[in-house]
Structures are given as structure tokens and as C-alpha cells.
């Protein structure tokens, strides 16, 4: 494990993700309040969206390196930096000039991350994820996703955008855990690990959940404002990744009442800060 490699790669990954998110929302959002399958497919022909997808690819590659060299409990929360990174990008795309509240939100997000890392300390090395655990995790994610989508199908565009964003964020959190497991196995056994279920099952689950999360993110951009989907996405992803990293990969997470209260405060500050920043990124 090398935090000297993991932390810079995670930060650069957040930069790539934040830039891509601002561009993707600008291209995907139509203000109709409806999900449009043809519109999602049409994005594949838009050079701006394809460029943003390239940014996501760079971000993913950096995230893989970060997770291969550092614990998911530290790497995944750093991706929240995509929120303040998207602020200047949104301004360049036609959004308003960032104000004092926006800068205060950035400080709040950075402070929350610093507090979280101080509380967690060294989570140790991750354990490989078994094939059965990976498959069950994906099955549970699919079941929860189905319930959420059905529950909000008649709701307002803002509610659906927030629900889809939160669900996509949860799936991205699971993707981070699957990435960490695959990277750990690859480091230990190399390409030969893909011959065994412990290797190819988590990898297949990773590809399935990752693709689903990406599509759902674009749908959340379609149906509602970024201020609804982006904060929900960015707040949910690290929470799910941290919980699954502790429960499935057995990374150490202090869980005293004081720690839990502090974690909740950090999540709340990140969510409020992300909502403040997202309001003006593209919708202003």
C-alpha cells in the first residue's frame, strides 16, 4: 500500500470526474422532466458527451491505480472533490460567477474530508472479495434499484433526479469496492486470477454495475436539475463505499458513538455543500 501514489491519483481522478460531470449534464439535460431512452443513445453521437466520457475513462483509470495502492475507505471519499472541481468548469460552460457561498461550500467539503480522514486513521489492507459476496452484493443492489425506481416513477422531476442520482451514487460506491477487490487480487495473482470465479465474478459484476450506474447518471441528468442529482450522487457514493469497504473488505472503521456522530456531520456538510455548488454549475 502506498498512499503517496493513491492520494494524488484519487485527487486527479476527482478532477477528471468533476469536469466530465459538468459537461455531461450540460449536454444531457433537456428540461423536459422525462427520461428519454433515445436521448441517452443520442449522446453517443455528441462529441461533447464523448469528450466527457473520455474524461470519465481517465478518471476511472486513475481510480483503479488509487484503489490498487490505497484502501477504499480513504480513496473513495476523496472523489467527493469532484464537486468543487466542477464549479469552475460550470462557470466556463456558461454558469454564473462563483460567489462567497460557493467558496464557503468548497471549504466545508474540504474540511469534512479532513475530519473524516483524521477519524478513520489507517484502515489497513483490504481482504479479497469472494465470488459469492460479489454476486450477492450486485443482486441486492439490483433489488434496491428496482424498488427505488418504481417508488419515484410518479414523483416530480426534482425528486426523481435526486433518487436516480442517489441510486447511481450507491452503485458507484459498490463499483469502488469491486474495483478495490479486483485490484487486490490482480496484485496478488496477476492475470491468472481471471481464470477462477474469485477473479472473473467480481470483474463481471464491476462491469455490469459500472455500466448501469453510468446510464442511470445520464438519466438523472435528463430528468432534473444538477442541484438535485449531483449532491445525492456525491454524498451516497462514499457512504456506501465506506460501509461496504468495512463490512465486505474488512478495512478498519472506528464505530464508536462519537465517531458515528462525526461521520453524520461530515456527510451532512458534504451534501449541503454539494447542493450549494450544483445550483450554479449548469442551471444558472
Amino acid at each position: 500500500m502506498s498512499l503517496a501514489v493513491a492520494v494524488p491519483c484519487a485527487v486527479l481522478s476527482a478532477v477528471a470526474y468533476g469536469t466530465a460531470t459538468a459537461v455531461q449534464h450540460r449536454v444531457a439535460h433537456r428540461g423536459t422532466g422525462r427520461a428519454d431512452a433515445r436521448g441517452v443513445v443520442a449522446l453517443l453521437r455528441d462529441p461533447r458527451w464523448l469528450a466527457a466520457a473520455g474524461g470519465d475513462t481517465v478518471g476511472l483509470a486513475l481510480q483503479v491505480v488509487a484503489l490498487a495502492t490505497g484502501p477504499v475507505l480513504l480513496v473513495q471519499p476523496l472523489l467527493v472533490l469532484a464537486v468543487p472541481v466542477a464549479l469552475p468548469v460550470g462557470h466556463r460552460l456558461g454558469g454564473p460567477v462563483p460567489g462567497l457561498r460557493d467558496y464557503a461550500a468548497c471549504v466545508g467539503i474540504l474540511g469534512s474530508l479532513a475530519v473524516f480522514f483524521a477519524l478513520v486513521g489507517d484502515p489497513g489492507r483490504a481482504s479479497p472479495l469472494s465470488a459469492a459476496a460479489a454476486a450477492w452484493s450486485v443482486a441486492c443492489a439490483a433489488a434496491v434499484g428496482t424498488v427505488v425506481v418504481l417508488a419515484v416513477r410518479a414523483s416530480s422531476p426534482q425528486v426523481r433526479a435526486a433518487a436516480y442520482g442517489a441510486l447511481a451514487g450507491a452503485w458507484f460506491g459498490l463499483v469502488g469496492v469491486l474495483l478495490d477487490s479486483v485490484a487486490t487480487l490482480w496484485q496478488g495473482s496477476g492475470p491468472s486470477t481471471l481464470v477462477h470465479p474469485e477473479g472473473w465474478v467480481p470483474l463481471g459484476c464491476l462491469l455490469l454495475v459500472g455500466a448501469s450506474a453510468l446510464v442511470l447518471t445520464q438519466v438523472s441528468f435528463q430528468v432534473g436539475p444538477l442541484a438535485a442529482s449531483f449532491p445525492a450522487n456525491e454524498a451516497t457514493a462514499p457512504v456506501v463505499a465506506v460501509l461496504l469497504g468495512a463490512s465486505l473488505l474488512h478495512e478498519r472503521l472506528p464505530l464508536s458513538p462519537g465517531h458515528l456522530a462525526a461521520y453524520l456531520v461530515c456527510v451532512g456538510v458534504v451534501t449541503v455543500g454539494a447542493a450549494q455548488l450544483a445550483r450554479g454549475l449548469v442551471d444558472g
Side-chain angles (χ1 to χ4, degrees):
M1 183 169 66
S2 176
L3 294 181
V5 175
V7 171
C9 285
V11 172
L12 291 174
S13 177
V15 171
Y17 282 142
T19 303
T21 296
V23 176
Q24 285 171 351
H25 183 269
R26 169 65 73 176
V27 176
H29 186 57
R30 292 291 181 267
T32 63
R34 295 182 295 104
D36 180 7
R38 290 184 178 180
V40 173
V41 174
L43 294 174
L44 298 175
R45 300 192 297 271
D46 192 305
R48 296 170 299 170
W49 189 89
L50 291 174
D56 274 337
T57 302
V58 172
L60 177 61
L62 290 166
Q63 184 183 359
V64 170
V65 175
L67 288 170
T69 54
V72 69
L73 263 67
L74 298 183
V75 170
Q76 201 70 20
L78 278 172
L79 299 184
V80 172
L81 293 174
V83 183
V85 165
L87 180 66
V89 178
H91 172 53
R92 297 281 296 182
L93 292 173
V97 177
L100 183 60
R101 289 184 180 180
D102 298 317
Y103 291 117
C106 291
V107 172
I109 291 172
L110 294 174
S112 295
L113 288 175
V115 170
F116 175 79
F117 294 144
L119 291 170
V120 171
D122 181 7
R125 294 188 63 85
S127 302
L129 188 63
S130 69
W136 274 110
S137 298
V138 173
C140 290
V144 171
T146 300
V147 171
V148 170
V149 171
L150 291 176
V152 302
R153 66 186 186 279
S155 301
S156 68
Q158 289 78 7
V159 171
R160 281 185 289 130
Y164 296 162
L167 181 58
W171 287 351
F172 277 128
L174 176 56
V175 165
V177 171
L178 292 169
L179 269 174
D180 188 274
S181 178
V182 170
T184 300
L185 287 170
W186 189 279
Q187 280 186 313
S189 305
S192 63
T193 189
L194 298 180
V195 178
H196 306 287
E198 288 75 12
W200 64 260
V201 171
L203 179 60
C205 291
L206 164 64
L207 296 175
L208 176 62
V209 178
S212 300
L214 179 61
V215 171
L216 189 59
T217 298
Q218 305 310 310
V219 173
S220 74
F221 290 165
Q222 274 191 333
V223 302
L226 194 65
S229 60
F230 199 26
N233 189 300
E234 293 300 320
T236 307
V239 170
V240 170
V242 166
L243 292 176
L244 294 182
S247 60
L248 297 180
L249 302 181
H250 308 295
E251 295 181 351
R252 290 190 297 272
L253 178 67
L255 293 175
S256 71
H259 281 89
L260 291 174
Y263 297 152
L264 289 174
V265 172
C266 290
V267 171
V269 172
V270 167
T271 303
V272 172
Q276 169 61 37
L277 295 177
R279 287 189 191 99
L281 284 178
V282 184
D283 304 311

